Amino acid sequence: MNTADLGLPVDVPSTALFTDQYEFTMLQAALKAGTAERHCVFEVFTRRLPEGRRYGVVAGTGRVLDAVENFRFEAGVLGFLRERRIVDETTLKWLADYRFSGDIWGYPEGEVYFPGSPIIRVEGSFAECVLLETVILSILNHDSAIAAAASRMSTAAGGRRLIEMGARRTHELSAVAAARAAYVGGFDSTSDLAAGFRYAIPTVGTSAHAFTLLHDSERGAFQAQVASLGRGTTLLVDTYDVAEAVRTAVDIAGPELGAVRIDSGDLLLVAHRVRQQLDELGAVDTKIVVTSDLDEYAIASLAAAPVDAYGVGTQLVTGSGHPTCSMVYKLVARAQSAGPAAPLQAVAKKSLGGKLSVGGRKWAARRLDVDGVAEAEVIGVGEVPAELAERQLLVELVKGGEVVAREPLDAARERHIAARAKLPLSAVQLSRGEQVIPTEYV
C-alpha cells in the first residue's frame, strides 16, 4: 500500500517541488531544442564511502517509490511556477500532464553497496527523468546515511536491543524517515509515534526525569508509574541517587519489574553496580537500558557491561558523523535522437578532482568466494558474464511508470542482515579502514 494514501499529517500533497530550479530550466531548454524526448539512462552512485566506512547500506527505496508516484503538478504548484516565471507556458502545459512513465531498477532496500555501485537506474525520456534527480538524491542520501550508522551500531550491540530515540534532535519529518532507516539498519523499535503509525515500526517509551521531578518524592513517581503501566514498566533510576532508586523500584514493583533505565554517569561502572544490586534484591530478570548520547563506539565499549538495550538519539539521526552519502545522479547514456528506435550512446563527464563518471547502462553483481563470502563488487556494461548471471544485484522497481516492487519494511530489514552476513568479517570492525571489498569494472 502507498503510505501516502493514508492521508497522514506527515504527507505533502505533491513531491514535485522537492526539486532544484535548474531541473526546470533544463527541461524548458530541452523542450525548445527538441531533445527532451530523447531516451536517457540516469544512475545514482557514490564515488567514495564516508571516511572510515567499509560498506554502505541502501535505504529509502520504498520512500523513493512513493515520491515518484506523488510527483504531480497540481494547480497550486503550476501557479507558483507561473507566478515566479520559473518556466514558460509551453513547459507549464507539459508539466500539467506529468506522470513518470519510464522504468526504474535498483539495489533492493537493505542491500549493501560500494563506490560505483549503480544503486538506482532511472530510464525514460530526458524530460521525465531529469525532474526526479533532487527528490531521489534527497531521500537516498539521508536514509542511507542513517541506515549505515544504524548498521554499525547494530553490529556493535551484538544482539542486544536498540531503540531509536532521536526525534527531538532533528527536523520533525526527518525524524520519521530516520526511524524508518534505522529499522532497516538493525534497530528494533522507535520512540517516534509518527514513524510507528506510518511504517508499523514497534514503539516504546515510559517516562523522563520530568515525571520524577513532578512528584513530591521518587517513590511517589515510581508508584504512580507502576500503578498506570504495570510492574513490567521501565523505571528511570538516575534522577537522584541510583542505588536508592533501584531499591525503591524493586520495593514497589517487586522482582517482576521490567527494566531500569540509566541516562547519565559512567555507564559501564553504573551498569555493573545496578546489575549486582538487582540480583541481590531478587530482580534477576529485570533488564537494564542505557541511554545518554551513545554512538557505535560507546555501544562497543559497553560490550562487557550487563546491558540489555541501548537507546540512541543524536548520533543516529545525524549519521554518526556522516549525515550524507555523497550520492550523485548522473546521465550515463542517451539516445542519439528522439526516435523510438534510436540507439543508446554512453556519455560521461570528464573532470579533474575525482569527479569522473563511467558511461553506459550498467549491471552489477557481487562475486563470492568458495565459502560464499563476498570478494568483489563487479560492475559492467553490456553482456553479463555467465558466472555472474545469478549474482546480479539490480531488481526492477518501476515498469512503465507502475511500481512493481513495493514490499514490507521487515523484508528490507531482513535483507540487510543477510547481506551484511555475507561480507568479510572485517566489514563490522569499527576501526578506520577502506571498503571491505573492491569495486571492479569489466
Side-chain angles (χ1 to χ4, degrees):
M1 180 179 184
N2 183 350
T3 53
D5 292 340
L6 297 175
L8 303 182
V10 292
D11 275 330
V12 292
S14 167
T15 53
L17 291 185
F18 291 164
T19 312
D20 289 305
Q21 182 167 321
Y22 77 172
E23 315 291 8
F24 290 101
T25 55
M26 284 192 288
L27 168 64
Q28 177 176 304
L31 287 171
K32 193 165 292 188
T35 54
E37 295 306 316
R38 286 188 176 186
H39 188 81
C40 289
V41 181
F42 287 84
E43 288 176 353
V44 174
F45 63 93
T46 185
R47 297 184 177 95
R48 66 192 66 84
L49 295 175
E51 184 180 358
R53 297 290 169 88
R54 298 170 185 258
Y55 62 93
V57 182
V58 178
T61 308
R63 296 208 307 122
V64 166
L65 299 180
D66 288 346
V68 171
E69 284 191 331
N70 291 315
F71 207 91
R72 303 284 187 268
F73 290 87
E74 300 163 345
V77 173
L78 292 171
F80 166 78
L81 296 174
R82 179 179 288 110
E83 179 185 346
R84 295 292 183 93
R85 297 183 179 180
I86 291 171
V87 292
D88 60 20
E89 287 298 324
T90 299
T91 307
L92 287 170
K93 184 177 179 180
W94 187 92
L95 290 172
D97 296 325
Y98 180 89
R99 297 291 187 275
F100 180 74
S101 63
D103 302 327
I104 300 179
W105 290 70
Y107 281 38
E109 191 159 18
E111 183 59 83
V112 297
Y113 71 88
F114 300 92
S117 297
I119 297 164
I120 291 281
R121 188 176 74 215
V122 182
E123 298 193 41
S125 71
F126 175 83
E128 63 181 339
C129 294
V130 74
L131 292 178
L132 298 176
E133 174 180 6
T134 302
V135 69
I136 287 177
L137 288 178
S138 177
I139 292 170
L140 292 179
N141 269 312
H142 174 269
D143 290 22
S144 296
I146 305 303
S151 181
R152 285 163 61 85
M153 294 174 188
S154 175
T155 58
R160 296 171 177 176
R161 297 186 68 78
L162 288 162
I163 306 163
E164 185 281 315
M165 47 197 305
R168 63 190 62 193
R169 298 292 187 250
T170 188
H171 185 279
E172 65 272 19
L173 299 187
S174 296
V176 180
R180 183 187 183 281
Y183 190 69
V184 171
F187 272 59
D188 300 284
S189 57
T190 179
S191 65
D192 191 282
L193 290 179
F197 180 49
R198 183 164 185 174
Y199 297 116
I201 301 169
T203 59
V204 296
T206 52
S207 67
H209 292 101
F211 186 76
T212 300
L213 295 171
L214 168 69
H215 292 79
D216 295 334
S217 68
E218 191 169 54
R219 174 174 289 272
F222 288 176
Q223 287 173 329
Q225 184 172 325
V226 170
S228 175
L229 301 178
R231 296 175 184 271
T233 190
T234 299
L235 295 175
L236 181 58
V237 295
D238 71 329
T239 305
Y240 304 118
D241 179 84
V242 173
E244 180 60 31
V246 171
R247 278 192 293 271
T248 302
V250 177
D251 183 49
I252 293 169
E256 297 84 10
L257 175 63
V260 295
R261 178 162 75 94
I262 307 166
D263 187 51
S264 60
D266 183 336
L267 297 178
L268 178 63
L269 176 62
V270 175
H272 276 288
R273 288 178 174 173
V274 168
R275 180 73 271 160
Q276 180 179 353
Q277 187 179 11
L278 287 170
D279 291 347
E280 290 173 349
L281 293 171
V284 295
D285 294 324
T286 298
K287 309 299 183 184
I288 297 176
V289 181
V290 296
T291 52
S292 187
D293 205 24
L294 300 175
D295 61 10
E296 61 264 48
Y297 301 102
I299 291 170
S301 73
L302 292 168
V307 171
D308 299 285
Y310 305 93
V312 189
T314 303
Q315 293 302 318
L316 177 62
V317 298
T318 57
S320 196
H322 297 291
T324 181
C325 301
S326 300
M327 293 178 187
V328 294
Y329 183 97
K330 296 297 181 184
L331 180 64
V332 296
R334 53 91 172 165
Q336 295 178 9
S337 72
L344 280 177
Q345 175 182 340
V347 295
K349 174 182 178 181
K350 292 184 178 180
S351 174
L352 299 176
K355 285 195 171 184
L356 288 174
S357 300
V358 178
R361 180 202 278 130
K362 299 175 196 67
W363 52 263
R366 190 160 299 142
R367 191 173 68 239
L368 308 180
D369 64 17
V370 294
D371 297 316
V373 177
E375 62 178 12
E377 190 88 340
V378 186
I379 299 169
V381 175
E383 188 175 351
V384 181
E387 65 273 17
L388 294 174
E390 300 300 318
R391 301 298 310 164
Q392 293 190 72
L393 293 163
L394 278 77
V395 299
E396 195 168 29
L397 303 172
V398 175
K399 183 176 183 178
E402 297 296 325
V403 173
V404 295
R406 189 167 274 114
E407 62 183 3
L409 194 58
D410 279 326
R413 174 184 170 84
E414 292 166 7
R415 181 180 295 115
H416 177 61
I417 294 170
R420 189 176 62 193
K422 291 182 179 179
L423 296 177
L425 287 175
S426 57
V428 299
Q429 292 178 343
L430 296 182
S431 58
R432 292 188 177 274
E434 301 299 321
Q435 62 186 88
V436 71
I437 60 173
T439 302
E440 297 179 1
Y441 290 93
V442 298

Coordinates of all heavy atoms in Angstrom, one line a residue, residues 160-225:
R160 N 22.0 -7.2 21.3 CA 21.2 -6.5 22.3 C 20.3 -5.6 21.6 O 20.6 -5.1 20.5 CB 22.1 -5.8 23.3 CG 23.0 -6.7 24.1 CD 24.0 -5.9 24.9 NE 24.8 -6.8 25.8 CZ 25.8 -6.3 26.6 NH1 26.2 -5.1 26.5 NH2 26.5 -7.2 27.3
R161 N 19.2 -5.3 22.2 CA 18.1 -4.5 21.5 C 18.5 -3.0 21.4 O 19.2 -2.5 22.3 CB 16.8 -4.6 22.3 CG 16.3 -6.0 22.3 CD 14.9 -6.1 22.9 NE 13.9 -5.5 22.1 CZ 13.4 -6.0 21.0 NH1 13.8 -7.2 20.5 NH2 12.4 -5.4 20.3
L162 N 18.1 -2.4 20.3 CA 18.4 -1.0 20.0 C 17.1 -0.2 19.9 O 16.2 -0.6 19.1 CB 19.2 -0.9 18.8 CG 20.7 -1.4 18.9 CD1 21.3 -1.6 17.5 CD2 21.5 -0.3 19.6
I163 N 17.0 0.9 20.5 CA 15.8 1.8 20.5 C 16.2 3.1 19.8 O 17.2 3.8 20.2 CB 15.3 2.1 21.9 CG1 15.1 0.8 22.6 CG2 14.0 3.0 21.8 CD1 14.9 1.0 24.1
E164 N 15.6 3.5 18.7 CA 15.8 4.8 18.1 C 15.0 5.8 18.8 O 13.8 5.7 19.0 CB 15.3 4.7 16.6 CG 15.6 5.9 15.8 CD 14.6 7.1 16.0 OE1 13.4 6.8 16.1 OE2 15.1 8.2 16.2
M165 N 15.7 6.9 19.3 CA 15.0 7.9 20.0 C 15.6 9.3 19.7 O 15.8 10.1 20.6 CB 15.1 7.6 21.5 CG 16.5 7.2 22.0 SD 16.5 6.4 23.6 CE 15.6 7.6 24.7
G166 N 15.7 9.6 18.4 CA 16.3 10.8 18.0 C 15.4 11.9 17.5 O 15.8 12.9 16.9
A167 N 14.1 11.7 17.7 CA 13.1 12.7 17.1 C 13.3 14.1 17.5 O 13.2 15.0 16.7 CB 11.7 12.2 17.4
R168 N 13.7 14.3 18.7 CA 13.9 15.7 19.2 C 15.2 16.3 18.8 O 15.5 17.4 19.2 CB 13.8 15.7 20.8 CG 14.9 14.9 21.5 CD 14.6 14.7 22.9 NE 13.4 14.0 23.2 CZ 12.7 14.0 24.3 NH1 13.3 14.6 25.4 NH2 11.6 13.3 24.5
R169 N 16.0 15.5 18.0 CA 17.3 16.0 17.6 C 17.4 16.3 16.1 O 18.5 16.6 15.6 CB 18.4 15.0 18.0 CG 18.6 14.7 19.5 CD 19.1 15.9 20.2 NE 19.4 15.6 21.6 CZ 18.7 16.0 22.6 NH1 17.7 16.8 22.4 NH2 19.0 15.7 23.8
T170 N 16.3 16.3 15.4 CA 16.3 16.6 14.0 C 14.9 17.2 13.6 O 14.0 17.3 14.4 CB 16.6 15.3 13.2 OG1 16.8 15.6 11.8 CG2 15.5 14.3 13.4
H171 N 14.8 17.5 12.3 CA 13.5 18.0 11.8 C 12.4 17.0 12.0 O 12.7 15.8 11.9 CB 13.7 18.3 10.3 CG 12.5 19.0 9.7 ND1 11.5 18.2 9.2 CD2 12.3 20.3 9.3 CE1 10.6 19.0 8.7 NE2 11.1 20.3 8.7
E172 N 11.2 17.5 12.3 CA 10.1 16.5 12.6 C 9.8 15.5 11.5 O 9.5 14.4 11.8 CB 8.9 17.3 13.0 CG 8.2 18.1 11.9 CD 8.7 19.5 11.8 OE1 9.8 19.8 12.3 OE2 8.1 20.3 11.1
L173 N 10.0 15.9 10.3 CA 9.7 14.9 9.2 C 11.0 14.0 9.0 O 10.8 12.9 8.6 CB 9.3 15.6 7.9 CG 8.1 16.5 8.0 CD1 7.7 17.0 6.6 CD2 6.9 15.7 8.5
S174 N 12.1 14.6 9.1 CA 13.4 13.8 9.0 C 13.4 12.7 10.1 O 13.9 11.6 9.9 CB 14.6 14.7 9.2 OG 14.7 15.6 8.2
A175 N 12.8 13.0 11.3 CA 12.7 12.0 12.3 C 12.0 10.8 11.9 O 12.4 9.7 12.3 CB 12.1 12.7 13.6
V176 N 10.9 11.0 11.2 CA 10.1 9.8 10.7 C 10.9 9.0 9.8 O 11.0 7.7 9.9 CB 8.8 10.3 10.1 CG1 8.0 9.1 9.6 CG2 8.0 11.1 11.1
A177 N 11.6 9.7 8.8 CA 12.4 8.9 7.9 C 13.6 8.3 8.5 O 14.0 7.2 8.2 CB 12.9 9.9 6.8
A178 N 14.2 9.0 9.6 CA 15.3 8.4 10.3 C 14.9 7.1 11.0 O 15.7 6.2 11.0 CB 15.9 9.4 11.2
A179 N 13.8 7.1 11.6 CA 13.3 5.9 12.4 C 13.1 4.8 11.4 O 13.5 3.6 11.7 CB 12.0 6.2 13.1
R180 N 12.6 5.1 10.2 CA 12.4 4.0 9.2 C 13.8 3.5 8.8 O 14.0 2.2 8.7 CB 11.7 4.6 8.0 CG 11.4 3.6 6.9 CD 10.8 4.3 5.7 NE 10.4 3.4 4.6 CZ 11.3 2.8 3.8 NH1 12.6 3.1 3.9 NH2 10.8 2.0 2.9
A181 N 14.7 4.3 8.5 CA 16.0 3.9 8.0 C 16.8 3.1 9.1 O 17.5 2.2 8.8 CB 16.9 5.1 7.6
A182 N 16.6 3.6 10.4 CA 17.3 2.9 11.5 C 16.7 1.5 11.6 O 17.5 0.5 11.9 CB 17.1 3.7 12.8
Y183 N 15.5 1.3 11.4 CA 14.8 0.0 11.5 C 15.4 -0.9 10.4 O 15.7 -2.1 10.6 CB 13.3 0.1 11.3 CG 12.6 -1.2 11.6 CD1 12.5 -1.7 12.9 CD2 11.9 -1.9 10.6 CE1 11.8 -2.8 13.2 CE2 11.2 -3.0 10.9 CZ 11.1 -3.5 12.2 OH 10.5 -4.7 12.4
V184 N 15.6 -0.4 9.2 CA 16.2 -1.2 8.1 C 17.6 -1.6 8.5 O 18.1 -2.7 8.2 CB 16.3 -0.3 6.8 CG1 17.1 -1.0 5.7 CG2 14.8 -0.1 6.3
G185 N 18.4 -0.7 9.2 CA 19.8 -0.9 9.5 C 19.9 -1.8 10.8 O 21.1 -2.1 11.1
G186 N 18.9 -2.2 11.4 CA 19.0 -3.1 12.5 C 18.4 -2.7 13.9 O 18.4 -3.5 14.8
F187 N 17.9 -1.5 14.0 CA 17.2 -1.1 15.2 C 15.9 -1.9 15.4 O 15.3 -2.3 14.4 CB 17.0 0.4 15.3 CG 18.2 1.2 15.8 CD1 19.4 1.1 15.2 CD2 18.1 1.9 16.9 CE1 20.5 1.7 15.7 CE2 19.1 2.6 17.5 CZ 20.4 2.5 16.8
D188 N 15.5 -2.0 16.7 CA 14.3 -2.9 17.0 C 13.0 -2.1 17.2 O 11.9 -2.6 17.0 CB 14.6 -3.7 18.2 CG 15.8 -4.6 18.1 OD1 15.7 -5.6 17.4 OD2 16.9 -4.3 18.6
S189 N 13.2 -0.8 17.5 CA 12.0 0.0 17.9 C 12.3 1.5 17.8 O 13.5 1.8 17.6 CB 11.5 -0.4 19.3 OG 12.5 -0.2 20.2
T190 N 11.3 2.3 17.9 CA 11.5 3.7 17.9 C 10.6 4.4 19.0 O 9.6 3.8 19.4 CB 11.1 4.3 16.6 OG1 11.3 5.8 16.6 CG2 9.7 4.0 16.2
S191 N 11.0 5.6 19.4 CA 10.1 6.3 20.4 C 9.2 7.2 19.6 O 8.3 7.8 20.2 CB 11.0 7.2 21.3 OG 11.7 8.2 20.5
D192 N 9.4 7.4 18.3 CA 8.6 8.3 17.5 C 7.3 7.7 17.0 O 7.3 6.7 16.2 CB 9.4 8.7 16.3 CG 8.8 9.9 15.5 OD1 7.8 9.6 14.8 OD2 9.3 11.0 15.7
L193 N 6.2 8.2 17.5 CA 4.9 7.6 17.2 C 4.5 7.8 15.7 O 3.8 7.0 15.2 CB 3.8 8.2 18.1 CG 3.9 7.7 19.6 CD1 2.8 8.4 20.4 CD2 3.8 6.2 19.7
A194 N 4.9 8.9 15.1 CA 4.6 9.1 13.7 C 5.2 8.0 12.8 O 4.6 7.5 11.9 CB 5.0 10.5 13.2
A195 N 6.4 7.6 13.2 CA 7.1 6.5 12.5 C 6.4 5.2 12.7 O 6.2 4.4 11.8 CB 8.6 6.4 12.9
G196 N 5.9 5.0 14.0 CA 5.2 3.8 14.2 C 3.9 3.7 13.5 O 3.5 2.7 13.0
F197 N 3.2 4.9 13.4 CA 1.9 4.9 12.8 C 2.0 4.7 11.3 O 1.3 4.0 10.6 CB 1.3 6.3 13.1 CG -0.1 6.5 12.4 CD1 -1.1 5.6 12.5 CD2 -0.3 7.7 11.8 CE1 -2.3 5.8 12.0 CE2 -1.6 8.0 11.2 CZ -2.6 7.0 11.3
R198 N 3.0 5.4 10.7 CA 3.2 5.3 9.2 C 3.8 4.0 8.7 O 3.4 3.5 7.7 CB 4.0 6.5 8.8 CG 4.2 6.6 7.3 CD 4.7 7.9 6.8 NE 4.7 8.0 5.3 CZ 4.9 9.0 4.6 NH1 5.2 10.2 5.2 NH2 5.0 9.0 3.3
Y199 N 4.8 3.5 9.5 CA 5.5 2.4 8.9 C 5.4 1.1 9.8 O 6.1 0.1 9.5 CB 7.0 2.7 8.8 CG 7.3 3.8 7.8 CD1 7.8 5.1 8.2 CD2 6.9 3.7 6.5 CE1 8.0 6.1 7.3 CE2 7.1 4.7 5.5 CZ 7.7 5.9 6.0 OH 7.9 6.9 5.1
A200 N 4.6 1.1 10.8 CA 4.3 -0.1 11.7 C 5.6 -0.5 12.4 O 5.7 -1.7 12.7 CB 3.7 -1.2 10.8
I201 N 6.5 0.4 12.7 CA 7.7 0.1 13.5 C 7.3 0.0 14.9 O 6.5 0.8 15.4 CB 8.7 1.2 13.3 CG1 9.2 1.3 11.8 CG2 10.0 0.9 14.2 CD1 10.0 2.5 11.5
P202 N 7.7 -1.0 15.7 CA 7.4 -1.1 17.1 C 7.8 0.2 17.8 O 8.9 0.7 17.6 CB 8.2 -2.3 17.6 CG 8.4 -3.1 16.3 CD 8.6 -2.2 15.2
T203 N 6.9 0.6 18.7 CA 7.2 1.9 19.5 C 7.4 1.5 21.0 O 6.7 0.6 21.5 CB 6.1 2.9 19.3 OG1 4.9 2.4 19.7 CG2 6.1 3.3 17.8
V204 N 8.2 2.3 21.7 CA 8.4 2.1 23.1 C 8.6 3.5 23.8 O 8.9 4.5 23.1 CB 9.7 1.3 23.4 CG1 9.5 -0.2 22.8 CG2 10.9 1.9 22.8
G205 N 8.4 3.5 25.1 CA 8.6 4.7 25.9 C 7.9 4.7 27.2 O 6.8 4.1 27.2
T206 N 8.5 5.2 28.2 CA 7.8 5.2 29.5 C 7.8 6.6 30.2 O 6.8 7.3 30.1 CB 8.5 4.2 30.5 OG1 9.9 4.4 30.5 CG2 8.2 2.8 30.0
S207 N 8.9 7.0 30.7 CA 8.9 8.3 31.4 C 10.3 9.0 31.3 O 11.3 8.3 31.1 CB 8.5 8.2 32.8 OG 9.5 7.4 33.5
A208 N 10.3 10.3 31.6 CA 11.5 11.1 31.6 C 11.7 11.6 33.0 O 10.9 11.4 33.9 CB 11.4 12.2 30.6
H209 N 12.8 12.3 33.2 CA 13.1 12.8 34.5 C 12.1 13.8 35.0 O 11.8 13.9 36.2 CB 14.5 13.6 34.5 CG 15.7 12.6 34.3 ND1 16.3 12.5 33.1 CD2 16.3 11.8 35.2 CE1 17.3 11.6 33.2 NE2 17.3 11.2 34.5
A210 N 11.4 14.5 34.1 CA 10.4 15.4 34.4 C 9.2 14.8 35.2 O 8.7 15.4 36.1 CB 9.8 16.1 33.2
F211 N 8.9 13.5 34.9 CA 7.9 12.8 35.6 C 8.3 12.6 37.1 O 7.5 12.7 38.0 CB 7.6 11.5 35.0 CG 6.4 10.7 35.5 CD1 5.1 11.1 35.3 CD2 6.6 9.6 36.4 CE1 4.0 10.5 35.8 CE2 5.5 9.0 37.0 CZ 4.2 9.4 36.7
T212 N 9.5 12.2 37.3 CA 10.0 12.0 38.7 C 10.0 13.4 39.4 O 9.5 13.5 40.6 CB 11.4 11.5 38.7 OG1 11.4 10.2 38.0 CG2 12.0 11.3 40.1
L213 N 10.5 14.4 38.8 CA 10.6 15.7 39.4 C 9.2 16.3 39.7 O 9.0 17.2 40.6 CB 11.3 16.7 38.5 CG 12.8 16.3 38.3 CD1 13.4 17.2 37.2 CD2 13.6 16.5 39.6
L214 N 8.2 15.9 38.9 CA 6.8 16.4 39.1 C 6.3 16.0 40.5 O 5.5 16.7 41.2 CB 5.9 15.8 38.0 CG 4.4 15.9 38.2 CD1 4.0 17.3 38.1 CD2 3.7 15.0 37.2
H215 N 6.7 14.8 41.0 CA 6.1 14.2 42.2 C 6.9 14.7 43.5 O 8.1 15.1 43.3 CB 6.1 12.7 42.1 CG 5.1 12.2 41.1 ND1 5.4 12.2 39.8 CD2 3.8 11.7 41.3 CE1 4.3 11.7 39.1 NE2 3.4 11.4 40.0
D216 N 6.3 14.6 44.6 CA 6.9 15.0 45.9 C 8.1 14.1 46.2 O 9.0 14.6 47.0 CB 5.9 15.0 47.0 CG 4.8 16.1 46.7 OD1 5.0 17.0 46.0 OD2 3.7 15.9 47.3
S217 N 8.1 12.9 45.7 CA 9.2 12.0 46.0 C 9.4 11.1 44.9 O 8.5 10.9 44.0 CB 8.9 11.2 47.3 OG 7.9 10.3 47.1
E218 N 10.6 10.5 44.8 CA 10.9 9.5 43.8 C 10.0 8.3 44.0 O 9.5 7.7 43.0 CB 12.3 9.1 43.8 CG 12.8 8.2 42.6 CD 14.3 8.1 42.6 OE1 14.9 7.7 43.6 OE2 14.9 8.4 41.6
R219 N 9.7 7.9 45.2 CA 8.8 6.8 45.5 C 7.4 7.1 44.9 O 6.8 6.2 44.3 CB 8.8 6.5 47.0 CG 7.8 5.5 47.4 CD 7.9 5.1 48.9 NE 9.1 4.4 49.1 CZ 9.2 3.1 49.1 NH1 8.2 2.3 48.7 NH2 10.3 2.5 49.4
G220 N 7.0 8.3 45.2 CA 5.7 8.6 44.6 C 5.6 8.5 43.1 O 4.6 8.1 42.6
A221 N 6.6 8.9 42.4 CA 6.7 8.9 41.0 C 6.7 7.4 40.5 O 5.9 7.1 39.6 CB 7.9 9.6 40.5
F222 N 7.5 6.6 41.2 CA 7.5 5.2 40.8 C 6.2 4.5 41.0 O 5.7 3.7 40.2 CB 8.6 4.5 41.5 CG 10.0 4.8 41.1 CD1 11.1 4.3 41.8 CD2 10.3 5.7 40.0 CE1 12.4 4.6 41.4 CE2 11.6 6.0 39.6 CZ 12.6 5.5 40.3
Q223 N 5.6 4.8 42.2 CA 4.3 4.2 42.5 C 3.2 4.6 41.4 O 2.4 3.8 41.0 CB 3.8 4.7 43.9 CG 4.6 4.0 45.0 CD 4.2 4.6 46.4 OE1 3.9 5.8 46.5 NE2 4.3 3.8 47.4
A224 N 3.3 5.8 41.0 CA 2.3 6.3 40.0 C 2.5 5.6 38.7 O 1.6 5.2 38.0 CB 2.4 7.8 39.8
Q225 N 3.8 5.5 38.3 CA 4.1 4.8 37.0 C 3.7 3.3 37.0 O 3.1 2.8 36.1 CB 5.6 5.0 36.7 CG 5.9 4.4 35.3 CD 7.3 4.8 34.9 OE1 7.8 5.9 35.2 NE2 8.0 3.9 34.1

